[in-house]
């Protein structure tokens, strides 16, 4: 029997704060507590939004440990542990399990461009090496490969494969996956702008970039949806939509770090090759934050 997860609602794909070239532990721990106090349902450290490509392995592991330690079991932690090296993904996944993560988020191997069989064997090797649930992260725009529903269905037969973070932005895919794997397959959107449609097609929640800066509004959207109050959900979606759009004018996480710096949550510091956003994007992000009522 496959692992089951009941992850529902708003999960934040956490940014990683930096200061003077190093990790900013105090800002990160403060961010975790703020997210939980604002109603966020779960936390996802060291994904793409957390700049995992430019963190050392030691830094990556520290961020996972800090997140778990600070969350104190109040909300689930899905630790980013993916890599285009299967061996590396196994090592990061085993560390996350040992640290106490509730699940791991494993991206489809980018750059290598494995076949569907290669993807299956990659996830199977990780599945066989750990004992906690695995959320497949399917993000064709960044990884250049798209895991098919058939491959997901094969993986769903393994003991630790629990669900998907779906960043295909395809509404059809949600229904196809639900038809193939059933309601127990935990479907989380990875695309903020499509979340309303994603939930309508039977999704369970969102691993969100926007919720870094608007955690309460994102959480309230999911509460309204779960209550069947679709009118309130639509109003909240409209309030958040400019953020959902404008936070991706330039590559994530540069815009979201700028937005969070406006709230005084962290320094707008990124690691190369990521750079701070241009002035037109700053104007657009500020405008979206005003629209959402986050700043004056």
């Amino acid at each position: 029997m496959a692992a089951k997860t009941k992850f529902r609602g708003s999960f934040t794909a956490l940014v990683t704060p930096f200061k003077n070239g190093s990790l900013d532990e105090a800002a990160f721990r403060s961010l975790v507590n703020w997210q939980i106090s604002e109603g966020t349902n779960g936390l996802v450290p060291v994904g793409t939004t957390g700049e995992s490509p430019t963190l050392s392995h030691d830094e990556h592991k520290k961020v996972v440990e800090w997140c778990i330690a600070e969350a104190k079991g109040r909300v689930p932690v899905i630790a980013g542990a993916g890599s285009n090296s299967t061996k590396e993904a196994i090592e990061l996944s085993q560390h996350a399990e040992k640290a106490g993560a509730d699940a791991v988020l494993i991206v489809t191997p980018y750059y290598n461009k494995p076949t569907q069989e290669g993807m299956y064997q990659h996830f199977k090797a990780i599945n066989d090496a750990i004992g906690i649930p695995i959320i497949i992260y399917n993000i064709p725009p960044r990884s250049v490969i798209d895991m098919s529903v058939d491959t997901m269905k094969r993986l769903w037969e393994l003991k630790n494969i629990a669900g998907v973070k779906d960043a295909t932005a395809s509404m059809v895919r949600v229904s196809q996956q639900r038809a193939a794997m059933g309601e127990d397959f935990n479907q989380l959107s990875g695309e903020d702008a499509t979340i309303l449609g994603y939930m309508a097609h039977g999704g369970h929640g969102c691993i969100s970039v926007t919720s870094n800066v608007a955690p309460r509004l994102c959480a309230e959207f999911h509460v309204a949806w779960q209550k069947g109050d679709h009118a309130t959900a639509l109003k909240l979606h409209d309030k958040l939509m400019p953020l959902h759009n404008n936070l991706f004018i330039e590559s994530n996480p540069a815009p979201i770090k700028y937005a969070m710096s406006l709230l005084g949550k962290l320094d707008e510091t990124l690691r190369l090759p990521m750079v701070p956003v241009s002035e037109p994007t700053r104007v657009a992000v500020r405008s979206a934050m005003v629209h959402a009522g986050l700043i004056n």
Side-chain angles (χ1 to χ4, degrees):
M1 178 61 85
K4 299 292 191 294
T5 51
K6 294 285 187 183
F7 298 141
R8 299 289 186 273
S10 182
F11 280 60
T12 302
L14 292 166
V15 298
T16 302
F18 300 120
K19 203 162 198 174
N20 302 320
S22 300
L23 300 177
D24 188 343
E25 181 178 357
F28 180 81
R29 286 181 180 269
S30 175
L31 184 59
V32 167
N33 282 303
W34 179 61
Q35 285 285 326
I36 295 170
S37 70
E38 290 288 290
T40 292
N41 302 112
L43 301 169
V44 185
V46 285
T48 312
T49 307
E51 293 177 78
S52 57
T54 49
L55 296 186
S56 70
H57 283 193
D58 283 347
E59 288 175 326
H60 182 116
K61 291 171 182 176
K62 279 180 184 173
V63 172
V64 169
E65 290 164 8
W66 295 340
C67 188
I68 293 164
E70 207 60 41
K72 297 183 177 75
R74 290 175 288 170
V75 297
V77 174
I78 308 174
S83 172
N84 62 342
S85 159
T86 306
K87 183 180 178 182
E88 188 173 283
I90 287 171
E91 182 198 340
L92 292 172
S93 298
Q94 288 174 332
H95 169 266
E97 179 177 19
K98 188 177 178 182
D102 296 279
V104 287
L105 180 67
I106 305 291
V107 69
T108 50
Y110 42 88
Y111 193 74
N112 314 35
K113 292 183 74 173
T115 60
Q116 295 296 318
E117 181 62 25
M119 278 189 271
Y120 175 82
Q121 294 297 339
H122 175 79
F123 279 88
K124 183 179 185 301
I126 301 163
N127 169 86
D128 294 349
I130 62 172
I132 58 173
I134 295 167
I135 304 295
I136 299 161
Y137 184 11
N138 193 31
I139 180 164
R142 279 191 186 257
S143 65
V144 199
I145 50 172
D146 183 1
M147 184 182 285
S148 69
V149 177
D150 286 343
T151 301
M152 254 178 230
K153 189 175 181 181
R154 283 181 71 198
L155 286 168
W156 176 230
E157 295 170 5
L158 303 177
K159 66 183 174 72
N160 292 317
I161 302 296
V164 65
K165 176 185 177 183
D166 183 344
T168 61
S170 166
M171 295 302 92
V172 176
R173 192 68 65 91
V174 194
S175 290
Q176 290 172 336
Q177 287 161 180
R178 194 159 47 82
M181 276 80 76
E183 185 61 31
D184 285 339
F185 188 68
N186 203 166
Q187 296 206 65
L188 303 169
S189 173
E191 282 284 339
D192 279 298
T194 61
I195 187 57
L196 190 69
Y198 194 89
M199 297 303 285
H201 273 265
H204 299 121
C206 184
I207 296 179
S208 170
V209 173
T210 303
S211 60
N212 274 284
V213 75
R216 185 173 294 279
L217 290 174
C218 289
E220 286 174 351
F221 166 86
H222 287 278
V223 168
W225 185 271
Q226 288 159 7
K227 287 179 177 175
D229 185 355
H230 298 154
T232 298
L234 180 59
K235 282 180 184 173
L236 287 162
H237 185 68
D238 288 346
K239 197 171 187 178
L240 288 163
M241 195 62 192
L243 270 174
H244 294 336
N245 282 327
N246 296 355
L247 289 173
F248 294 92
I249 293 172
E250 295 184 35
S251 295
N252 179 48
I256 190 65
K257 278 200 159 178
Y258 170 65
M260 295 180 76
S261 75
L262 291 180
L263 296 184
K265 296 295 178 186
L266 47 80
D267 286 353
E268 187 198 356
T269 306
L270 301 116
R271 281 191 176 167
L272 287 169
M274 302 304 296
V275 294
V277 292
S278 63
E279 188 54 37
T281 299
R282 288 171 189 270
V283 171
V285 169
R286 282 197 300 268
S287 172
M289 290 177 73
V290 170
H291 181 85
L294 302 177
I295 57 174
N296 295 321

